[in-house]
Amino acid sequence: MSINLKSLIPVLNAEWTGSETDIFINHISIDSRSLQNGSETLFIALSGVNNDAHLYIEELIAHGVQNFVVQYIPENCAGKANFLVVKNTLKALQELAGYYRNLFDFPIIGLTGSNGKTIVKEWLNFLLSPDFNIIRSPKSYNSQVGVPLSVLAINEKHNLGIFEAGISTVNEMVNLQKIIKPTTGVLTNIGSAHDEGFLNLVQKIDEKLILFKDCPVIIYQKNEIVDSCLSQFVAEYMMHPRTLFSWSFIDTSADVFILKKENKSDSTHIQYQYKGETFDLEIPFSDTASIENAISCLVVLLYLKYDSETIQNRFARLYPVQMRLEVKNGINNCSIIDDSYSSDFESLTIALDFLESQKKKNASKTIILSDIVQSGFSNEELYTKVGQLITDNKINRVIGIGTTISAFKSKFSNVITFQNTAEFIAEIENLNFENETILIKGARSFQFEEIVSLLEEKTHETVLEINLNSISYNLNYFKSKLANNVKLMVMVKAFGYGNGGLEIAKLLEHHKVDYLGVAFADEGISLKNGGIKLPIMVLNPESTSFPSIIQYNLEPEIYSVKGLKAFLKIAREKNLKDFPIHIKLDTGMHRLGFEENTLDELIQTLKGNSTVKVKSVLSHLATSDEARHFDFVHSQINLFERLSSKLISELNINPIRHILNTSGISNFPDAQYNMVRLGIGLYGVSNDPAEQKYLENVGTLKSIISQVRTIPAGDSVGYGRRFMAEKETKIATIPIGYADGISRLWGNLVGYVVIKNQKASIVGNVCMDMLMVDVSHIDCKEGDSVIIFGESPTVIEMAAALKTIPYEIMTSISQRVKRVFFR
């Protein structure tokens, strides 16, 4: 990309403020935290209900960024940079992408649907890449922001584009259509995803079809509803001749008719009829979704006139698509970021930003990188750009694997290269991986999953997967409920409610929350040792921990006169001045805090004291989630107002005030004061069923099947023979038990797990390290994946059955269960 900044003024209908316009832009950014921002970056300050990037412009200018698209020029920034002032920066980003798309004239495949978009995109990329230089959406960049960023990555060497478009409600696709302008349209599976954004299925299909408004051909699975929508669509947009190219399992009038489908254990054989001829095709998958996605790809290749032999040869090498970056614990105190299935320039920039957000404190940053494919650049230009990208991201060590990257090793500093993966593995013990955050990024042909396996810390096969995107989504959901200038504290106590403290704290720091909250000092110390710089409040500090709290610059909650005097004594001994403390008032919870009759003594103790500074005054609601007790909540809020106001007046201070927890944020918006505390809502759990549907699941506890056996009628399962088989029963054993945090009350047909999208009831008692389930109705085998909780069963459902609360379910998961973080 190389765009003259001056040329964008009419494109964006912008008002220009700055010193010079003869500047060329080669990088578009919306992330103020990216280390790739520089003098040739055009930063677009997106502003929404959850965040306002204008707040970071002054910091960006200090780091060398000089060109901005803004809705307003922040205070103290006028005259310090070049500004294109527009009415709406998101609209400006989309208009810029549409303008840039029009600079290129090559075929574009546009994909939309409810499911399968990313899989079909990645498979089409694989199937067509021998014949085209392809630009495609990185990962799942299919949103109102993701699509323009994807299109802005096009360069002059590309000759085919594959972009996906996702929408969640009406009036969104029209924006994406103007940016992608596909020449071939592919409609993937239409399912229930995002149903809540549409009146009905027909409206959803109609909205998605807008992507194909100017498209000469539309490829789709034939069915009555879609055919009806397409008929009306074609009638409405008659300005272009249009081909409808369909496939079907049941309708013989489809252009491609699937005559036969035979499922094998790990593959599927199909016969398809096209133009009066019958062909055979082996698809290396057996699940329904993969078969449908593969057929969508088949029909695209048939439309492009590929012969059956080429199709068969390429389909035989299709592979499962890994759509996420995973963080795993590695050997010798390393962290592993697993992106071992893709190696292209666009996704490299994403992975490097993720590496920066997840690096360990004082750990060096290493990248293991294969030859990069499909960049659109010459090798000389590509590896020059990659070398600069790695320099900008302050990578300490580069390990290149492949003949091409080895030939261009001079483009990198502190680099060692190997001709192939086997050569690297032979030397791995001599490379001394220790205290590093390692990004492993390679094209699939390099089989970097073997490297991940060797560098990953060895644990048992039960894992708790934490979706960092969902945490970000839930965070933004609650931020959208806050009034302007209300600060946000996020609770990461109890190991992040069982999800992992440090990794989540890093993400929250990345999102620039104002405070973190922990229960005890050792939790805060662990975060500080992990490199967290955010202020951390310790809510339940013990007096013995006060020296450590001071040493690590933690901020204690003070809830009693005795505790205050003990802290003041140590503070005076250490000659502290204005050390931040937080005063807890008891307004009815009766757990911790100063009551009204101790307030005068508190005030007298603090008056004239310069060793500490009251940073905030807080209280805690007892019943913010129960409507029948809302009168009590109001009494708590009123008492907090009275007591905190007295404290502020008597001490002549101006502290932050906060009383709302997660439920309080939603139910008592008038009591936000200066800050709120977000707890379990961050992790996707609400006490309000109506609100729950707006939150995303964060944690999925997974395991595998260790063994499958069939027992006859009359045989028992587990300790105490609590389950007796009434008929021949197939039993699967799962390596997870009460030592991992699964309640014994969840056994004996109360609870279930999910295997291949089907429920399998837990039979017999839950053991310490294992549980057994009835899989008589499920076609499964040893090694198959098992969902213990996540989307189904949810922790809310489990808590209801066990007569407890989701907090207990989540925090009970043992730390011997490996946490895997992913985006």
Side-chain angles (χ1 to χ4, degrees), residues 57-309:
I57 288 177
E58 189 171 8
E59 180 183 335
L60 284 162
I61 292 172
H63 284 87
V65 181
Q66 280 292 294
N67 307 294
F68 298 88
V69 177
V70 297
Q71 291 172 194
Y72 62 90
I73 300 174
E75 197 175 338
N76 301 323
C77 293
K80 296 181 180 179
N82 300 314
F83 294 97
L84 293 168
V85 184
V86 298
K87 289 182 179 179
N88 184 303
T89 47
L90 173 58
K91 189 64 66 178
L93 171 64
Q94 294 172 343
E95 288 170 347
L96 172 58
Y99 162 78
Y100 189 70
R101 161 70 177 91
N102 287 334
L103 300 179
F104 300 90
D105 184 22
F106 55 75
I108 299 283
I109 298 174
L111 302 106
T112 191
S114 301
N115 307 296
K117 297 184 293 294
T118 302
I119 304 274
V120 172
K121 177 200 68 187
E122 292 297 321
W123 283 351
L124 284 176
N125 174 68
F126 171 78
L127 294 165
L128 299 174
S129 59
D131 311 306
F132 296 94
N133 197 347
I134 299 173
I135 174 71
R136 72 191 192 280
S137 312
K139 301 295 180 183
S140 297
Y141 271 40
N142 60 28
S143 67
Q144 299 290 305
V145 173
V147 168
L149 292 177
S150 300
V151 168
L152 286 165
I154 296 173
N155 68 49
E156 291 75 10
K157 303 294 177 61
H158 293 124
N159 56 15
L160 176 66
I162 309 175
F163 298 109
E164 54 177 300
I167 56 172
S168 56
T169 189
V170 296
N171 301 321
E172 289 185 344
M173 189 61 84
V174 64
N175 302 322
L176 305 185
Q177 189 278 332
K178 292 175 183 176
I179 299 168
I180 298 175
K181 294 183 180 172
T183 56
T184 298
V186 179
L187 184 67
T188 64
N189 176 274
I190 296 292
S192 60
H194 300 297
D195 271 357
E196 65 276 8
F198 304 92
L199 293 175
N200 50 45
L201 182 61
V202 170
Q203 187 187 55
K204 180 161 71 170
I205 296 171
D206 288 343
E207 181 73 14
K208 289 181 180 293
L209 289 177
I210 291 172
L211 178 64
F212 310 138
K213 182 170 73 74
D214 298 319
C215 216
V217 59
I218 301 172
I219 293 168
Y220 71 103
Q221 181 178 6
K222 197 171 179 61
N223 69 56
E224 187 175 337
I225 297 177
V226 174
D227 279 337
S228 174
C229 291
L230 275 169
S231 295
Q232 292 186 20
F233 175 77
V234 171
E236 184 175 353
Y237 296 103
M238 283 300 293
M239 65 284 293
H240 294 282
R242 188 172 277 101
T243 299
L244 300 180
F245 200 64
S246 62
W247 67 272
S248 177
F249 289 112
I250 56 176
D251 190 335
T252 57
S253 69
D255 297 282
V256 180
F257 178 62
I258 312 302
L259 287 166
K260 187 167 64 174
K261 182 180 75 168
E262 295 177 345
N263 281 6
K264 303 178 181 179
S265 58
D266 296 314
S267 64
T268 303
H269 176 81
I270 68 168
Q271 274 190 348
Y272 64 93
Q273 195 172 65
Y274 176 55
K275 290 187 174 180
E277 293 188 62
T278 300
F279 304 91
D280 292 289
L281 180 63
E282 199 79 18
I283 298 172
F285 301 97
S286 58
D287 63 289
T288 301
S290 294
I291 294 166
E292 288 191 5
N293 292 333
I295 293 173
S296 290
C297 295
L298 165 67
V299 179
V300 172
L301 266 63
L302 291 173
Y303 175 74
L304 295 176
K305 297 182 170 52
Y306 278 77
D307 62 80
S308 60
E309 183 178 355

Side-chain angles (χ1 to χ4, degrees), residues 387-439:
Q388 186 59 52
L389 194 61
I390 285 174
T391 299
D392 291 343
N393 280 270
K394 300 179 175 59
I395 304 300
N396 303 95
R397 175 159 66 149
V398 180
I399 298 173
I401 300 178
T403 55
T404 308
I405 198 169
S406 296
F408 288 89
K409 64 187 297 182
S410 62
K411 303 294 183 182
F412 307 93
S413 58
N414 197 17
V415 64
I416 181 171
T417 60
F418 299 89
Q419 294 294 306
N420 52 54
T421 303
E423 188 179 301
F424 167 81
I425 289 174
E427 286 293 314
I428 197 168
E429 291 186 5
N430 300 321
L431 294 172
N432 302 319
F433 291 103
E434 187 174 2
N435 297 317
E436 298 169 71
T437 303
I438 307 168
L439 170 62

Side-chain angles (χ1 to χ4, degrees), residues 306-341:
Y306 278 77
D307 62 80
S308 60
E309 183 178 355
T310 301
I311 290 172
Q312 179 61 72
N313 290 338
R314 293 186 185 179
F315 267 72
R317 293 180 287 124
L318 282 182
Y319 52 87
V321 173
Q322 187 78 354
M323 292 184 290
R324 64 195 198 183
L325 291 150
E326 290 188 344
V327 183
K328 303 175 179 178
N329 291 329
I331 60 173
N332 304 326
N333 198 36
C334 290
S335 286
I336 308 297
I337 297 178
D338 182 1
D339 196 14
S340 56
Y341 291 97

